Amino acid sequence: MDVQTIVARQQQCTHQWHSAEPAAFGDGFLAMVEQNHLENFCLWHEEDIARRNDLGASRVLQAKRTIDRHNQQRNDLVEKLDLWLVRELKPMESGCSFNSETPGMMIDRLSILALKEYHMHEEVQRTDATAEHRSKCMTKLNVIRQQMADLARALDDLLVQVQQGTRSFRVYFQFKMYNDAELNPQLRKAA
């Protein structure tokens, strides 16, 4: 698994999906990476809708439900990425330090940074914005790009260390309770 391929794929999909119907199309592990990124892509844009005050309460409620669905699927995909990596890399169960953030979580964060990069770049390019706005956004864009590079390097380092047996990780299941009628007392009451 090449981290730079993941980063490039997330960036490529972000650009593609802003001009065509979003869809994941990769194979194997990359298909899960793309599906996770697609959930973040949809989540990002639905979050924008949820913050509008002119659409009415029913549209905001619909956005909230859509956000919950995408967030659940996003978390499920992070776990699937980690399960795949555990199966492939066979990280040590003991005898070395454990990373508190899993590779799947890091891939998910890279996905969000790819979206931030795209949208901040849009702000830099806005012709209807002031020069001051564009300059501030360019500063932020540079920070986002540095964060992406740092996180990609950290993920690459982690994967190398796992293969060398000097660092490990576990799948940390989220056990999201808010969408489950058996675990959310408010949903139980409503049922």
Side-chain angles (χ1 to χ4, degrees), residues 24 28-29 58 61 80 89 96 115 126 131 142-143 165 176 186:
F29 185 77
S58 70
L61 176 62
K80 286 180 183 177
L89 298 177
C96 61
L115 292 163
R126 276 183 51 202
N142 288 332
V143 171
K176 295 292 184 184
Q186 291 297 319

Side-chain angles (χ1 to χ4, degrees), residues 107-188:
I107 291 167
D108 183 62
R109 284 181 48 218
L110 284 167
S111 166
I112 294 164
L113 284 168
L115 292 163
K116 285 182 182 181
E117 179 190 38
Y118 179 89
H119 289 283
M120 195 60 71
H121 185 262
E122 279 188 325
E123 291 300 310
V124 168
Q125 300 297 314
R126 276 183 51 202
T127 57
D128 64 329
T130 66
E132 179 184 7
H133 173 83
R134 290 191 309 269
S135 177
K136 285 180 182 178
C137 290
M138 188 66 219
T139 299
K140 291 176 184 179
L141 180 60
N142 288 332
V143 171
I144 290 166
R145 287 177 174 160
Q146 184 62 57
Q147 290 172 340
M148 287 178 75
D150 291 347
L151 183 56
R153 190 170 27 263
L155 175 56
D156 194 48
D157 289 347
L158 173 61
L159 295 172
V160 167
Q161 291 168 350
V162 168
Q163 289 172 325
Q164 293 171 342
T166 59
R167 191 147 191 89
S168 195
F169 71 95
R170 290 187 176 100
V171 178
Y172 293 117
F173 296 96
Q174 297 298 311
F175 300 122
K176 295 292 184 184
M177 299 171 72
Y178 56 84
N179 287 325
D180 189 330
E182 295 295 318
L183 299 174
N184 180 328
Q186 291 297 319
L187 293 178
R188 255 194 330 271

Side-chain angles (χ1 to χ4, degrees), residues 23-35:
F25 52 85
D27 291 326
F29 185 77
L30 268 182
M32 287 187 289
V33 169
E34 287 179 18
Q35 191 61 48

Side-chain angles (χ1 to χ4, degrees), residues 45-52 55 59-60 63-64 67:
H45 294 93
E46 205 63 32
E47 290 274 6
D48 285 349
I49 291 168
R51 283 164 177 77
R52 289 185 54 179
L55 297 177
R59 180 59 183 102
V60 172
K64 174 63 177 143
I67 288 165

